[in-house]
Amino acid sequence: MTQWDDSQTESVSVDITEKSNALPAKYFTDPEIFELEKDKIFGQYWVYAGHANCIKEAGQYFTRTVGERQLIIVRGHDGEVKAFDNVCAHRGSKMVDDTPMTDPGNARRIKCPYHLWTYDLEGELRSTPKSFEEAHLNPDLKDENVQKFDSKENALNDVHVDSIGPLIFVNLSDDPMPLDEQAGAMKDRLEALPLGKYEHANRIVSEVECNWKVFSSNYSECDHCQANHQDWVKGISLNESELEVNDYHWVLHYTHDEDVEDELRIHDEHEAQFHYFWPNFTVNMYGTADGYGTYIIDPIDTNRFQLIADYYFESPELSEEEEEFIRTSRQLQEEDFELVERQWAGLQTGALSQAQLGPNEHTVHRFHQLAQNAYDS
């Protein structure tokens, strides 16, 4: 039952165990919840960092902010991808400038510009300036008594890294669940596809005025599609489509009305596939171009998020079909932005305590359940 924020109505349910119960509205609008999410969600689960094909060579790196922590994602000399907090072990300075995955940096070593402490690509301290070896300005300390800085004890703070094919994930917790466990069947499904042979071709970044969970909920269902994505649904048989729910991910399978040529599709099924991976990452395959897209639904604060849409094809030089893929994707984004900002305007009035979900919004219900489970953990 829909529950209005009125003293004469039934109180909000204590949980969302009933399939028709949405996450109470306060969990979208309360700024304290966003602060909780930094720890309980983005500090505990595997979060997408970026694509390995953007840092193919040793020393190439980019930065990625998760919650309030900015990380350096770097390809080591051993060929492995590593992640470190972008914080110097000396006095906590930020070391490298903001560096997007689409324009990676390159360095043989990581040097802090403040006092020139220098680290290797494994994060160990390799050198400090002479001023840290001599005490010529300190009359109370002799040079032979100057502290020696152990390379490992003064290393950069490393962060757990794992991958699904070329997709790099990080986890900020000390003892995370394995990525295999969080990804479940999605890992096998995506690794069966040749994701690694595709190159980054385009990035579109948008700032949207609503809570990130509003957009994630919208992405996870298609009851709104017939009325709001009319151009796209012309080629889709919605009645033959499927919404598949797993523990930490769900897949929206959309069947095409007409068969699609094999060379225009990365996967075997004759359908579009939208994979949502908790908490804020998607892999999108429209079935009408040989490539795929990803979304990062990055919260900025309670009221705003950033959608980072990346597109991958065999060549950065786009074909007509690939350009159409991106145009279609962008049109869907803009149509959804209007919808979620409209919903956000309603939620912010405080009139609604808790919404109800329809029978085909079980994917949304799972997303809301995971959020509540995280809050309660």
Side-chain angles (χ1 to χ4, degrees):
M1 178 176 76
T2 300
Q3 298 179 43
W4 300 104
D5 196 358
D6 188 300
S7 60
Q8 298 178 355
T9 64
E10 182 182 345
S11 61
V12 173
S13 63
V14 295
D15 58 32
I16 58 167
T17 54
E18 295 295 328
K19 292 187 182 300
S20 62
N21 285 348
L23 193 67
K26 68 178 182 180
Y27 290 106
F28 296 88
T29 59
D30 188 344
E32 292 184 2
I33 297 300
F34 178 61
E35 294 304 313
L36 184 68
E37 289 172 346
K38 292 177 185 177
D39 174 38
K40 297 288 190 176
I41 295 179
F42 296 100
Q44 300 298 321
Y45 290 94
W46 289 95
V47 175
Y48 177 67
H51 201 285
N53 282 1
C54 292
I55 49 170
K56 292 180 179 180
E57 304 298 328
Q60 288 189 307
Y61 68 89
F62 60 88
T63 58
R64 172 81 166 93
T65 300
V66 178
E68 293 183 336
R69 289 169 62 177
Q70 188 175 72
L71 308 177
I72 304 171
I73 315 298
V74 60
R75 176 81 65 179
H77 288 301
D78 60 0
E80 298 298 318
V81 174
K82 300 169 176 64
F84 307 103
D85 279 295
N86 189 14
V87 175
C88 182
H90 171 217
R91 283 170 54 186
S93 175
K94 177 178 176 178
M95 293 186 299
V96 304
D97 294 333
D98 297 354
T99 306
M101 180 189 78
T102 51
D103 187 18
N106 199 330
R108 294 180 61 188
R109 293 194 172 184
I110 302 170
K111 180 182 292 187
C112 178
Y114 193 7
H115 292 91
L116 305 183
W117 280 35
T118 303
Y119 305 84
D120 62 25
L121 300 184
E122 282 65 51
E124 291 191 11
L125 180 64
R126 284 304 173 200
S127 68
T128 58
K130 199 171 185 62
S131 59
F132 287 84
E133 301 171 4
E134 299 176 351
H136 59 278
L137 296 180
N138 186 346
D140 298 323
L141 184 64
K142 296 181 178 180
D143 287 352
E144 59 266 24
N145 295 327
V146 170
Q147 172 187 354
K148 303 299 181 183
F149 293 99
D150 182 90
S151 61
K152 292 186 177 180
E153 290 181 357
N154 293 278
L156 298 178
N157 188 53
D158 62 334
V159 172
H160 295 282
V161 178
D162 204 344
S163 62
I164 298 175
L167 308 175
I168 304 166
F169 294 84
V170 294
N171 193 302
L172 303 182
S173 67
D174 293 332
D175 186 24
M177 75 168 80
L179 177 59
D180 289 8
E181 180 180 338
Q182 185 177 323
M186 188 186 84
K187 179 176 170 65
D188 292 338
R189 180 175 290 169
L190 292 182
E191 288 189 338
L193 301 174
L195 301 183
K197 77 173 187 177
Y198 293 82
E199 301 294 331
H200 187 272
N202 190 280
R203 167 171 279 193
I204 302 174
V205 180
S206 308
E207 185 174 310
V208 186
E209 298 290 331
C210 80
N211 184 268
W212 70 279
K213 298 187 297 299
V214 173
F215 184 85
S216 294
S217 300
N218 175 82
Y219 178 97
S220 298
E221 53 88 2
C222 206
D223 279 2
H224 70 277
C225 293
Q226 193 70 56
N228 297 284
H229 298 315
Q230 295 183 11
D231 288 341
W232 181 65
V233 298
K234 289 177 182 177
I236 299 294
S237 299
L238 288 178
N239 291 337
E240 298 178 12
S241 299
E242 174 191 358
L243 305 184
E244 169 196 343
V245 180
N246 298 279
D247 288 345
Y248 294 99
H249 79 282
W250 37 99
V251 189
L252 289 71
H253 303 265
Y254 296 127
T255 303
H256 289 284
D257 279 339
E258 297 181 4
D259 197 9
V260 179
E261 296 179 21
D262 289 341
E263 61 268 21
L264 295 183
R265 191 176 57 246
I266 184 175
H267 55 294
D268 293 334
E269 292 81 2
H270 296 241
E271 63 182 13
Q273 294 179 1
F274 296 143
H275 299 255
Y276 193 105
F277 184 50
W278 166 264
N280 65 330
F281 177 62
T282 80
V283 181
N284 313 311
M285 303 172 189
Y286 289 88
T288 53
D290 185 16
Y292 59 96
T294 64
Y295 291 170
I296 304 173
I297 305 163
D298 245 1
I300 299 171
D301 53 32
T302 303
N303 305 296
R304 296 173 300 155
F305 76 92
Q306 189 177 63
L307 186 72
I308 303 172
D310 289 303
Y311 299 92
Y312 299 87
F313 301 102
E314 288 193 270
S315 169
E317 301 298 323
L318 299 179
S319 67
E320 184 176 329
E321 291 83 2
E322 291 162 352
E323 289 178 346
E324 179 61 27
F325 177 107
I326 295 175
R327 282 194 295 269
T328 298
S329 175
R330 185 59 182 169
Q331 179 178 338
L332 291 172
Q333 291 167 28
E334 291 176 342
E335 290 166 352
D336 281 334
F337 293 162
E338 181 178 351
L339 296 176
V340 297
E341 288 185 339
R342 180 184 293 268
Q343 182 188 357
W344 183 237
L347 286 173
Q348 285 186 298
T349 66
L352 186 68
S353 289
Q354 185 174 22
Q356 61 179 336
L357 300 174
N360 297 312
E361 294 177 319
H362 52 300
T363 42
V364 180
H365 186 263
R366 183 56 186 157
F367 176 78
H368 289 195
Q369 276 187 317
L370 287 171
Q372 186 168 67
N373 290 345
Y375 302 148
D376 294 341
S377 65

